[in-house]
Amino acid sequence: MAHQYFEDNTMLSHQCQEWETVVNETGYRFKTDSGVFSRQRLDFGTRVLLETVIQAEFHPKKILDLGCGYGPVGTVMGTEYPEATLHMVDVSERAMELARYNVSANQVAHAKIYSSNIYQEVKAKDFDLILTNPPIRAGKEVVHTFISGAYLHLAMGGRLVLVIQKKQGAPSARKKLLEVFGNVEELERKKGYWILCAQKNES
């Protein structure tokens, strides 16, 4: 059976490569490998997510990169907000190894990178910002767990921001965000990708 990027792909053969990209006028260099999501380039959805969040100027003090992969979201956010506490989690050991390399190579010194099946090992419940490009191929139930679990791990006033394509469940995710948080805002819509944001408020 073929491996999926949201699984632990430690035993796959290696196909390492490095490439460069620019986000918000800052250059980055990333190392990737087989078995990780979008290993040949920064995928468009993640780029839109990052650019939208940076433009929104949330100024978070504590960030969770949920399902960090090889680390593009955490690396960029750690660069944009160097004073913030940064947590990055994934289920794939290979992805986390790459993420550790990439945050170091891009001089992000304060990231805490550790294994967690969604929120299972995430103990902190005071994040100002949780960012995710959820693994759509893992199924709707998993994506909705990404959403529902966020509420318990956010500080009051904290935000969950995710990217999802319309054709891959954006309307359903929007409905779930509204159900869990009581609010949802569409920050951006570009080429079929929706950037959705929900804020934890006093009930």
Side-chain angles (χ1 to χ4, degrees), residues 31-148:
K31 178 181 178 180
T32 64
D33 199 352
S34 57
V36 299
F37 174 65
S38 193
R39 67 186 184 92
Q40 296 182 323
R41 63 190 179 279
L42 181 65
D43 73 286
F44 184 77
T46 297
R47 178 176 294 281
V48 176
L49 173 68
L50 286 166
E51 291 175 348
T52 301
V53 169
I54 292 168
Q55 290 169 7
E57 297 185 341
F58 292 141
H59 299 294
K61 295 181 180 179
K62 191 167 186 176
I63 304 167
L64 173 62
D65 177 4
L66 182 64
C68 66
Y70 62 85
V73 170
T75 298
V76 172
M77 295 304 291
T79 301
E80 292 286 334
Y81 302 102
E83 301 303 317
T85 300
L86 175 63
H87 290 227
M88 300 168 62
V89 300
D90 204 287
V91 72
S92 167
E93 290 292 338
R94 175 169 293 185
M96 287 184 293
E97 182 180 343
L98 290 164
R100 292 184 186 100
Y101 176 90
N102 288 324
V103 296
S104 177
N106 289 282
Q107 300 180 325
V108 176
H110 56 286
K112 300 177 182 179
I113 304 172
Y114 52 97
S115 177
S116 181
N117 184 3
I118 314 182
Y119 297 100
Q120 190 170 19
E121 301 301 325
V122 180
K123 306 305 181 187
K125 300 185 186 300
D126 59 346
F127 291 101
D128 300 301
L129 184 62
I130 298 176
L131 298 176
T132 189
N133 184 346
I136 302 303
R137 292 181 186 177
K140 178 180 177 179
E141 184 177 345
V142 172
V143 174
H144 283 195
T145 300
F146 273 51
I147 293 171
S148 59

